[in-house]
Amino acid sequence: MDLYLQFGYGMKNIVIDLSKEWNGVTSILSPRDISPDQLIKWSKEFQKHNVECLFDPQCYFPKCDHKNLIQYDYWNRSLSTNLGSDVDYETSLIKNIAYYNSLINSKEIIIPAIMRKYTEDWFKQWKANSIKLVKASRKLKIRKSLLLTLALPADLLSQREDYIEQLIDTAGKLDVDGFYIIAEPPAKQYLVENPLWLSNLMQLCAGLKLQNKKVIVGYANHQLLCLSAAKVDAIASGTYLNVRRFSNKFEDQEDEIKRKSTWFYYPPSLSEFKIAFLDIAFSNGIIDKMKPEGKMDNDYVKLIFSGAMPSTTSFKESMAFKHYLHCLREQVKICSRNSFAETISANEILLETAERRIEYLEKNGVYAQSRSFKDVVDVNRSAIQRLQKTRGFLMQYSWDTM
């Protein structure tokens, strides 16, 4: 499993900086955060710095009117209605999207999807729209791999498992090379507390991989490291929470992000801590226990461990973001092993370690509050165990060929 960068507001320089450090990176560009003129200009800079780009059309909420999105030629507030008509609207839509892909020289085209609320008609609408869009893409004879977006509302991923199996069966028969999965979390949660939601997402990813489809999961955070056990090709994450979990950020006309607290990610605990609690760790003489070790260590957080109280240093938000993405990339490598059994074991160790580290820190008065992994360790553990039970044999047998 690889880590892609989910592009968001103010991420241009971060993408370039990390590409230099990592010797190349893939970023999923966001038309919400890049105007068409910027897309042309920035794509040249990205290519210069070894950034491979994908283009997410972001048609999730067609009626939104974000000032950047509406500048793109493919944007149409009547997208949902047009896809449901007999007019060959989808061919024009894909043709225009293909044009922007040509500007960034992408190797794969992401076919859009609408994030529809879950109803009894959801599956019928999704299937009809998907077939139309895929046929239009093939008719245009686009010489790039096709990735169909699966925009999954939270309520869908909380349905019975047999419904997910139906989705796997139908999606696997579509004439595409892979899928770009967008999973809406319940109640806008950053760390999802519903084990069925996570289990169904894992089942979906594993089922598609077993059909030899490429799978990229967007708007991800460290909770989705467990998708390595489903042999997902990549998860995409970014800086602010609106690119680490999916939400409707497309109605907001304001580009400025409301800055609140700067968070420090402590990888062994799978948790993030406000600087104020790092001061507590400093006062209790355990701050060095939170210093990243081995390949997790990086210059971005050296100020925190410089011997001064963390809140008195010039540790900045951009440093915290780069540290988070650096550590997440290393954890992706740790969790991705040569066999299903080894990958499961790596994920289990990750969860066990997180439990111990959180307990130790809390005994010393250091709390992660809303970003603690304490209450979701068992959520991940449950989803992994379910995957072992339902698809363990097939995953182990097919691991090398998926």
Side-chain angles (χ1 to χ4, degrees):
M1 187 167 77
D2 293 328
L3 176 67
Y4 290 176
L5 297 182
Q6 192 87 49
F7 197 91
Y9 175 77
M11 278 189 64
K12 177 194 168 189
N13 291 334
I14 287 179
V15 168
I16 291 175
D17 289 346
L18 291 177
S19 185
K20 291 177 182 177
E21 181 181 336
W22 299 349
N23 194 28
V25 72
T26 297
S27 181
I28 303 176
L29 300 185
S30 160
R32 177 204 180 269
D33 302 291
I34 305 177
S35 69
D37 289 341
Q38 288 174 324
L39 183 71
I40 296 172
K41 181 180 178 180
W42 292 2
S43 63
K44 295 176 182 178
E45 293 185 60
F46 288 146
Q47 291 177 34
K48 179 181 178 182
H49 294 289
N50 202 22
V51 178
E52 186 172 311
C53 297
L54 296 176
F55 181 82
D56 177 3
Q58 295 181 326
C59 295
Y60 307 111
F61 305 101
K63 292 190 180 298
C64 78
D65 56 358
H66 191 276
K67 63 183 180 182
N68 280 343
L69 281 172
I70 62 177
Q71 293 182 47
Y72 285 83
D73 291 340
Y74 64 83
W75 194 259
N76 190 314
R77 287 174 57 85
S78 300
L79 172 62
S80 180
T81 301
N82 290 340
L83 283 177
S85 70
D86 294 329
V87 180
D88 188 16
Y89 162 77
E90 56 275 8
T91 300
S92 174
L93 172 68
I94 298 299
K95 187 176 181 179
N96 285 330
I97 290 173
Y99 166 72
Y100 292 108
N101 277 268
S102 69
L103 293 179
I104 63 172
N105 196 29
S106 67
K107 295 179 181 178
E108 300 167 310
I109 285 189
I110 295 176
I111 302 171
I114 299 170
M115 182 65 75
R116 300 183 186 277
K117 291 183 179 180
Y118 176 72
T119 65
E120 291 183 357
D121 293 329
W122 186 92
F123 186 84
K124 180 181 178 181
Q125 289 180 310
W126 166 79
K127 183 178 179 180
N129 288 350
S130 297
I131 290 173
K132 278 191 170 186
L133 290 167
V134 171
K135 283 185 176 179
S137 301
R138 288 303 182 191
K139 185 171 73 173
L140 290 170
K141 297 182 179 180
I142 298 170
R143 295 181 180 179
K144 299 176 188 286
S145 295
L146 299 180
L147 304 177
L148 176 65
T149 301
L150 294 183
L152 310 174
D155 288 346
L156 170 69
L157 287 171
S158 300
Q159 297 301 310
R160 298 182 318 189
E161 200 171 278
D162 58 343
Y163 199 93
I164 303 302
E165 294 299 329
Q166 183 184 4
L167 181 59
I168 293 170
D169 182 62
T170 302
K173 294 175 182 177
L174 295 172
D175 187 16
V176 291
D177 302 286
F179 297 92
Y180 174 51
I181 296 179
I182 303 299
E184 180 186 45
K188 299 181 180 180
Q189 293 174 357
Y190 177 43
L191 300 175
V192 175
E193 300 172 1
N194 182 350
L196 183 59
W197 182 94
L198 186 58
S199 177
N200 279 338
L201 179 58
M202 289 192 75
Q203 296 293 334
L204 174 63
C205 291
L208 294 174
K209 286 300 299 178
L210 284 166
Q211 297 187 57
N212 295 314
K213 301 291 187 179
K214 183 172 185 176
V215 174
I216 300 169
V217 178
Y219 295 89
N221 57 55
H222 48 284
Q223 185 176 19
L224 296 191
L225 285 166
C226 62
L227 294 181
S228 56
K231 201 66 183 294
V232 163
D233 294 271
I235 58 172
S237 190
T239 54
Y240 296 101
L241 292 195
N242 65 6
V243 284
R244 295 189 198 172
R245 67 173 178 205
F246 183 82
S247 61
N248 185 0
K249 62 176 184 173
F250 307 99
E251 296 286 358
D252 187 6
Q253 288 282 0
E254 296 296 327
D255 284 336
E256 291 295 330
I257 301 292
K258 292 181 179 179
R259 291 167 175 78
K260 296 181 180 178
S261 300
T262 297
W263 295 80
F264 165 77
Y265 181 54
Y266 177 44
S269 71
L270 294 174
S271 302
E272 297 167 81
F273 298 82
K274 292 179 181 177
I275 302 302
F277 277 100
L278 295 186
D279 285 348
I280 295 295
F282 178 85
S283 299
N284 286 338
I286 64 165
I287 188 68
D288 286 340
K289 299 288 186 181
M290 300 179 73
K291 189 177 189 299
E293 298 179 347
K295 292 184 178 180
M296 296 284 181
D297 195 11
N298 58 80
D299 289 340
Y300 305 126
V301 292
K302 64 181 180 181
L303 288 173
I304 291 177
F305 306 99
S306 62
M309 186 171 286
S311 62
T312 66
T313 69
S314 55
F315 181 67
K316 299 178 181 178
E317 191 176 52
S318 61
M319 297 175 183
F321 289 151
K322 289 180 180 179
H323 164 70
Y324 174 81
L325 293 168
H326 169 87
C327 292
L328 185 59
R329 181 171 179 259
E330 292 302 321
Q331 288 181 306
V332 164
K333 294 178 183 177
I334 290 171
C335 291
S336 305
R337 300 302 180 95
N338 293 326
S339 71
F340 178 68
E342 290 173 353
T343 302
I344 290 291
S345 178
N347 276 276
E348 289 175 340
I349 291 172
L350 193 75
L351 297 175
E352 291 167 5
T353 302
E355 280 185 315
R356 293 197 301 269
R357 298 313 296 169
I358 293 170
E359 181 181 8
Y360 170 78
L361 291 172
E362 290 187 347
K363 284 182 178 179
N364 285 276
V366 182
Y367 292 86
Q369 298 176 293
S370 62
R371 298 198 189 182
S372 173
F373 212 78
K374 180 178 181 179
D375 292 334
V376 295
V377 166
D378 287 340
V379 173
N380 281 49
R381 187 173 282 138
S382 174
I384 290 171
Q385 291 171 345
R386 182 59 184 163
L387 181 65
Q388 285 179 283
K389 184 174 182 178
T390 58
R391 287 186 164 85
F393 176 78
L394 284 175
M395 296 296 291
Q396 182 70 25
Y397 179 79
S398 307
W399 195 258
D400 292 336
T401 60
M402 292 166 63

